[in-house]
Amino acid sequence: MSSVKISVSAARRKESIGKLVVLEGWVRTRRDSKGGFSFIELNDGSCFGNVQIIAPNTLGNYETDVLTLAVGSSVRIEGVVKESPGSGQPTEVEASGVTLVGTCDAASYPLQKKRHSLEFLREKAHLRCRTNTFGAVSRVRNRVCYSIHQFFQEECFYYFHAPLITASDCEGAGQMFQVTTLDQTNLPHTDNGRVDYTKDFFGRPSYLTVSGQLEAETVACGLGKCYTFGPTFRAENSNTSRHLSEFWMIEPEAAFYDLTDNMNLAEAFIKRIISDVLRDCQEDMEFFNKFVDTELLATLRNVIDNEFVRLSYTDAIDILLKSGKKFEFKVEWGTDIQSEHERYLTEVHFKKPVILYDYPRTIKAFYMRLNEDGKTVAAMDVLVPKIGEIIGGSQREERLSVLEERMQDQKLDPSNYWWYTDLRRYGTVPHSGFGLGLERMVMFVTGITNIRDVIPYPRSPGNCDF
Ligand code: 4AD
Ligand code: MG
């Protein structure tokens, strides 16, 4: 019988019983029994659980390699998959060969058998994929990304790539990282003393993008429906558990979509991601439900099974005012909804996701469509329990004159957006879109409460390690 290389995930399935296999992975634990065996818990990242390897003392390298195997070392195992007599797992592997691939210094290896705090693991970000929690987060994050592509492909949205380096500030909020090759110790200046950007790499000031939306609009106004899925960058100085300086965003955009179409799309999209994860990441999700948030599975099922609340900003302000609750930030029509307000609405008042729409024009970006009342814009934010805002979107202003007025309101120079306003000159159409923050979605489905623990290498103010 010749051996086949399989994953730990495959070795743990009943179908593998009787097969001669090769497994490769890292030792999670090892213990020696008096009966002349060593038990090795092997993990290779293919699934949450380990497979138990039984190494008999008849192996030629038993004394030299097996008995000295340290936690964290890498090994290659050859053996036969057997039905396990234990109750915990369906299979185990009886080893006929154990090869030490890479040793691991037990004294200095940071990942000991005990449970480590997420803060500690953040400092060992290069090793944390080997832990239960971060392994599970990584597999769920992967499944979420796959689901995102599946959903939009099945809905006939075209995947396109927005540029990462840009000259336009999509959100108009001035929170962009500048990209330059100018020598910072010897900047060229113009006659009036300003930095001379004609000498810079692109011949003008340029930045990392905060959103691919403006480009998405140009693509939608030609291809009909599209989405981008890429990294975005924000130089905002908010050191919170929900903000990153570099995060991934999914931005669909569709021509001839109004705000209601946009809300329907957003709701179906979130429900689809959650269903896929619940179906395909069961073991990881059970772990989160047990150790991270014991209401997680119930909350997620509740999200799938119920319609999201749709509530105007004005009605939301009413509810908050009538709540009798003392908020840190004052509730007043015209001010932004703070995260404590979002959480009150989703966790206390409705106990499910809420889509807030029609926000005051003064607190939202220039591109959002002005409503008939002249005071509000066709914005929508999707809020979910424990996270707050997970999606931000809107119907876009397709009327040139109104758009130019809104730009002037917000002190933006329309000449910098000439290509964007062109869309309104040549066959303009109503259109809408939104942005989902990938990391916030991963937080929501895993129950993890700090955004730094759902991305491999978090970037936040003052932190660019690794
Ligand atoms: O609400 P935002 O700023 O909307 C836009 O950027 C629009 N241009 C999107 C569009 O309509 N195409 O960001 C969208 C989402 C937020 O709801 C949030 O989930 C996430 O992106 N997000 C962040 N995630 C992590 N860290 C940050 N600093 C984030 N800022 C926004
Ligand atoms: Mg927003």
Side-chain angles (χ1 to χ4, degrees), residues 303-352:
V303 172
I304 301 179
D305 293 342
N306 290 288
E307 278 181 13
F308 293 9
V309 175
R310 299 185 186 192
L311 185 75
S312 73
Y313 167 92
T314 304
D315 290 344
I317 294 291
D318 256 7
I319 291 175
L320 293 168
L321 285 174
K322 291 196 183 117
S323 70
K325 228 186 107 74
K326 277 253 168 298
F327 292 108
E328 189 190 333
F329 290 90
K330 194 171 166 210
V331 178
E332 195 179 11
W333 200 97
T335 60
D336 212 352
I337 304 258
Q338 300 293 328
S339 109
E340 55 173 341
H341 309 138
E342 295 173 348
R343 296 190 59 163
Y344 176 81
L345 292 170
T346 55
E347 286 165 35
V348 183
H349 193 86
F350 291 110
K351 298 192 169 59
K352 54 178 162 168

XYZ file of all heavy atoms in Angstrom, residues 303-352:
425
model
N -30.296 36.937 13.035
C -30.071 37.886 11.934
C -30.554 37.295 10.615
O -31.209 37.956 9.814
C -28.571 38.260 11.837
C -28.294 39.079 10.578
C -28.127 39.022 13.077
N -30.252 36.021 10.399
C -30.655 35.390 9.138
C -32.168 35.259 9.044
O -32.759 35.421 7.982
C -30.064 33.964 9.018
C -28.550 34.012 9.096
C -30.494 33.316 7.720
C -27.943 32.644 8.999
N -32.796 34.938 10.182
C -34.219 34.586 10.148
C -35.173 35.770 10.166
O -36.371 35.594 9.991
C -34.556 33.674 11.346
C -33.879 32.317 11.212
O -33.472 31.976 10.080
O -33.735 31.610 12.227
N -34.663 36.965 10.444
C -35.569 38.111 10.559
C -35.226 39.215 9.579
O -34.077 39.347 9.159
C -35.518 38.660 11.984
C -36.171 37.710 12.963
O -37.381 37.563 12.999
N -35.336 37.019 13.727
N -36.239 40.018 9.273
C -35.978 41.167 8.406
C -35.292 42.259 9.206
O -35.598 42.455 10.376
C -37.292 41.685 7.830
C -37.710 40.863 6.640
C -39.004 41.342 6.006
O -39.471 42.444 6.318
O -39.525 40.581 5.188
N -34.371 42.963 8.558
C -33.720 44.100 9.213
C -34.759 45.206 9.387
O -35.642 45.372 8.554
C -32.564 44.646 8.359
C -31.377 43.705 8.217
C -31.424 42.393 8.662
C -30.194 44.157 7.624
C -30.321 41.540 8.518
C -29.095 43.325 7.472
C -29.157 42.015 7.915
N -34.618 45.956 10.477
C -35.479 47.131 10.665
C -35.003 48.221 9.706
O -33.803 48.375 9.496
C -35.343 47.645 12.116
C -36.134 48.937 12.309
C -35.786 46.581 13.096
N -35.936 48.936 9.090
C -35.549 50.087 8.265
C -36.168 51.326 8.882
O -37.380 51.402 9.058
C -36.003 49.884 6.828
C -35.345 48.640 6.239
C -35.634 48.419 4.779
N -35.068 47.134 4.377
C -34.951 46.740 3.120
N -35.385 47.511 2.143
N -34.420 45.564 2.849
N -35.317 52.266 9.234
C -35.748 53.366 10.079
C -35.084 54.650 9.596
O -33.872 54.668 9.362
C -35.280 53.057 11.514
C -35.666 53.964 12.646
C -37.138 53.752 13.010
C -34.803 53.641 13.883
N -35.873 55.726 9.459
C -35.246 56.975 9.035
C -34.443 57.553 10.199
O -34.743 57.287 11.372
C -36.297 57.982 8.571
O -36.991 58.484 9.693
N -33.457 58.335 9.843
C -32.637 59.009 10.864
C -33.535 59.783 11.813
O -33.358 59.750 13.031
C -31.640 59.934 10.147
C -30.953 60.925 11.049
C -29.733 60.630 11.643
C -31.535 62.179 11.306
C -29.108 61.538 12.477
C -30.909 63.103 12.137
C -29.696 62.782 12.726
O -29.081 63.689 13.553
N -34.529 60.492 11.247
C -35.419 61.322 12.064
C -36.176 60.476 13.089
O -36.275 60.838 14.260
C -36.389 62.094 11.141
O -35.600 62.853 10.211
C -37.288 63.029 11.918
N -36.687 59.318 12.651
C -37.383 58.429 13.591
C -36.421 57.857 14.637
O -36.807 57.637 15.789
C -38.073 57.277 12.841
C -39.274 57.775 12.035
O -39.743 58.907 12.301
O -39.736 57.045 11.136
N -35.192 57.620 14.227
C -34.201 57.098 15.173
C -33.930 58.127 16.266
O -33.834 57.789 17.457
C -32.907 56.742 14.449
N -33.805 59.377 15.881
C -33.580 60.453 16.862
C -34.743 60.482 17.859
O -34.544 60.579 19.078
C -33.410 61.818 16.152
C -32.131 61.832 15.324
C -33.443 62.974 17.156
C -30.838 61.813 16.120
N -35.961 60.336 17.330
C -37.160 60.286 18.189
C -37.070 59.174 19.227
O -37.332 59.379 20.405
C -38.392 60.003 17.314
C -39.206 61.264 17.114
O -38.735 62.338 17.539
O -40.307 61.155 16.546
N -36.719 57.978 18.739
C -36.618 56.822 19.644
C -35.568 57.079 20.723
O -35.781 56.814 21.903
C -36.280 55.538 18.845
C -37.478 55.142 17.970
C -35.873 54.398 19.775
C -37.222 53.970 17.054
N -34.426 57.627 20.305
C -33.340 57.876 21.262
C -33.758 58.927 22.289
O -33.482 58.780 23.485
C -32.070 58.319 20.525
C -31.411 57.248 19.643
C -30.339 57.866 18.744
C -30.804 56.127 20.496
N -34.467 59.951 21.830
C -34.907 61.002 22.757
C -35.917 60.456 23.765
O -35.888 60.787 24.941
C -35.524 62.169 21.981
C -34.524 63.085 21.244
C -35.254 64.121 20.390
C -33.586 63.778 22.234
N -36.807 59.574 23.243
C -37.851 59.031 24.130
C -37.344 57.884 25.014
O -38.073 57.406 25.879
C -39.025 58.530 23.287
C -39.792 59.668 22.606
C -41.158 59.221 22.114
C -41.880 60.327 21.367
N -42.137 59.999 19.957
N -36.115 57.433 24.768
C -35.620 56.245 25.484
C -35.451 56.509 26.981
O -35.429 55.576 27.783
C -34.271 55.812 24.912
O -33.274 56.753 25.265
N -35.305 57.756 27.341
C -35.083 58.083 28.750
C -33.680 57.727 29.216
O -33.349 57.813 30.386
N -32.842 57.300 28.256
C -31.485 56.887 28.615
C -30.538 58.079 28.603
O -30.675 58.974 27.763
C -31.005 55.828 27.615
C -30.396 54.618 28.277
C -29.797 53.663 27.273
C -28.308 53.676 27.284
N -27.544 53.101 28.290
N -29.612 58.105 29.536
C -28.586 59.161 29.551
C -27.435 58.703 28.663
O -26.746 57.751 28.975
C -28.050 59.357 30.972
C -28.906 60.250 31.845
C -28.238 61.625 32.063
C -29.166 62.661 32.694
N -30.354 63.002 31.916
N -27.251 59.398 27.534
C -26.124 59.076 26.662
C -24.984 60.050 26.929
O -25.217 61.187 27.354
C -26.554 59.192 25.193
C -27.555 58.145 24.773
C -28.882 58.503 24.532
C -27.183 56.819 24.611
C -29.809 57.552 24.132
C -28.108 55.865 24.209
C -29.423 56.233 23.968
N -23.792 59.599 26.632
C -22.634 60.476 26.802
C -22.711 61.637 25.804
O -22.491 62.785 26.135
C -21.350 59.657 26.598
C -20.092 60.391 26.961
C -18.834 59.636 26.525
O -18.892 58.376 26.425
O -17.823 60.290 26.280
N -23.056 61.285 24.541
C -23.195 62.316 23.511
C -24.666 62.713 23.389
O -25.541 61.840 23.328
C -22.694 61.800 22.153
C -21.210 61.616 22.108
C -20.633 60.390 22.479
C -20.365 62.642 21.702
C -19.257 60.204 22.444
C -18.986 62.472 21.667
C -18.435 61.249 22.030
N -24.905 64.000 23.337
C -26.278 64.518 23.284
C -26.960 64.069 21.984
O -26.367 64.081 20.905
C -26.222 66.043 23.347
C -27.567 66.652 23.647
C -27.459 68.143 23.929
C -28.865 68.720 23.864
N -28.892 70.113 23.419
N -28.223 63.682 22.117
C -29.015 63.315 20.948
C -29.748 64.553 20.460
O -30.468 65.197 21.226
C -30.051 62.221 21.314
C -30.909 61.878 20.104
C -29.375 60.992 21.875
N -29.546 64.887 19.204
C -30.141 66.101 18.667
C -30.192 65.972 17.153
O -29.211 65.564 16.535
C -29.230 67.278 19.059
C -29.867 68.624 18.905
C -28.907 69.745 19.330
O -27.693 69.476 19.535
O -29.373 70.881 19.443
N -31.339 66.300 16.546
C -31.452 66.212 15.091
C -30.355 67.053 14.451
O -30.168 68.213 14.812
C -32.822 66.699 14.615
C -33.166 66.188 13.248
C -33.936 65.102 12.950
C -32.740 66.719 11.976
N -34.012 64.909 11.581
C -33.289 65.891 10.959
C -31.934 67.798 11.601
C -33.080 66.118 9.596
C -31.717 68.016 10.230
C -32.286 67.186 9.246
N -29.602 66.454 13.534
C -28.548 67.209 12.864
C -27.149 66.798 13.318
O -26.166 67.141 12.676
N -27.069 66.061 14.433
C -25.745 65.588 14.850
C -25.603 64.118 14.479
O -26.597 63.416 14.275
C -25.539 65.718 16.377
O -26.535 64.927 17.020
C -25.671 67.162 16.831
N -24.353 63.677 14.398
C -24.110 62.304 13.952
C -24.541 61.316 15.036
O -24.473 61.615 16.221
C -22.628 62.115 13.618
C -22.447 61.112 12.488
O -23.445 60.467 12.090
O -21.311 60.973 11.998
N -24.988 60.146 14.580
C -25.341 59.075 15.500
C -24.035 58.467 16.013
O -23.201 58.049 15.228
C -26.160 57.990 14.761
C -27.403 58.598 14.100
C -26.445 56.802 15.637
C -28.693 58.364 14.822
N -23.848 58.429 17.311
C -22.618 57.885 17.893
C -22.768 56.382 18.118
O -23.875 55.852 18.133
C -22.338 58.567 19.232
C -22.154 60.065 19.125
C -20.894 60.442 18.353
O -19.897 59.730 18.388
N -20.953 61.563 17.649
N -21.640 55.755 18.376
C -21.699 54.294 18.513
C -22.579 53.864 19.706
O -23.260 52.846 19.648
C -20.292 53.733 18.520
O -19.939 53.278 19.753
N -22.624 54.647 20.780
C -23.518 54.281 21.899
C -24.990 54.328 21.452
O -25.818 53.538 21.904
C -23.303 55.218 23.099
C -23.471 56.678 22.745
C -23.434 57.613 23.956
O -23.636 57.162 25.087
O -23.218 58.824 23.734
N -25.327 55.242 20.547
C -26.699 55.330 20.039
C -27.002 54.148 19.121
O -28.080 53.551 19.176
C -26.922 56.631 19.264
C -26.496 57.863 20.017
N -25.812 58.907 19.435
C -26.639 58.195 21.328
C -25.567 59.842 20.347
N -26.051 59.423 21.510
N -26.021 53.828 18.272
C -26.185 52.676 17.367
C -26.444 51.411 18.173
O -27.300 50.598 17.842
C -24.926 52.492 16.511
C -24.652 53.641 15.558
C -23.304 53.543 14.832
O -22.440 52.710 15.203
O -23.123 54.308 13.877
N -25.682 51.277 19.253
C -25.813 50.054 20.057
C -27.139 50.027 20.807
O -27.741 48.969 20.963
C -24.612 49.927 21.001
C -23.318 49.770 20.203
C -22.152 49.415 21.060
N -22.376 48.158 21.771
C -21.406 47.456 22.341
N -20.174 47.871 22.275
N -21.683 46.341 22.962
N -27.608 51.185 21.240
C -28.911 51.213 21.907
C -29.996 50.720 20.937
O -30.839 49.880 21.285
C -29.245 52.627 22.410
C -30.631 52.693 23.015
C -30.858 52.281 24.326
C -31.733 53.099 22.252
C -32.133 52.285 24.867
C -33.015 53.101 22.777
C -33.209 52.689 24.089
O -34.470 52.663 24.612
N -29.940 51.225 19.715
C -30.972 50.856 18.731
C -30.937 49.361 18.401
O -31.962 48.693 18.363
C -30.796 51.671 17.443
C -31.074 53.177 17.557
C -30.627 53.904 16.291
C -32.560 53.440 17.828
N -29.725 48.841 18.172
C -29.632 47.449 17.714
C -29.678 46.436 18.862
O -30.182 45.340 18.685
C -28.327 47.199 16.931
O -27.236 47.603 17.754
C -28.294 47.977 15.637
N -29.145 46.819 20.030
C -29.044 45.830 21.113
C -30.201 45.918 22.100
O -30.635 44.906 22.634
C -27.719 46.011 21.878
C -26.528 45.524 21.090
C -25.217 46.016 21.677
O -25.091 46.136 22.900
O -24.301 46.303 20.871
N -30.673 47.130 22.356
C -31.707 47.290 23.372
C -33.089 47.442 22.739
O -34.015 46.695 23.038
C -31.394 48.518 24.283
C -32.435 48.627 25.393
C -29.991 48.410 24.853
N -33.215 48.394 21.836
C -34.546 48.712 21.328
C -35.080 47.663 20.351
O -36.164 47.139 20.535
C -34.540 50.100 20.686
C -35.920 50.622 20.420
N -36.655 51.296 21.365
C -36.720 50.528 19.324
C -37.841 51.606 20.871
N -37.909 51.156 19.632
N -34.311 47.340 19.311
C -34.830 46.413 18.293
C -34.279 45.000 18.432
O -34.874 44.053 17.930
C -34.518 46.937 16.884
C -35.284 48.182 16.519
C -34.634 49.404 16.405
C -36.646 48.134 16.284
C -35.333 50.553 16.063
C -37.361 49.283 15.937
C -36.694 50.505 15.832
N -33.117 44.868 19.029
C -32.453 43.570 19.162
C -32.218 42.881 17.826
O -32.314 41.659 17.702
C -33.251 42.651 20.097
C -33.361 43.196 21.514
C -33.885 42.137 22.481
C -33.766 42.547 23.924
N -34.459 43.774 24.275
N -31.948 43.634 16.812
C -31.560 43.088 15.507
C -30.954 44.178 14.630
O -30.954 45.346 15.032
C -32.739 42.425 14.820
C -33.982 43.271 14.657
C -34.999 42.416 13.914
C -36.402 42.937 14.049
N -37.310 42.300 13.135
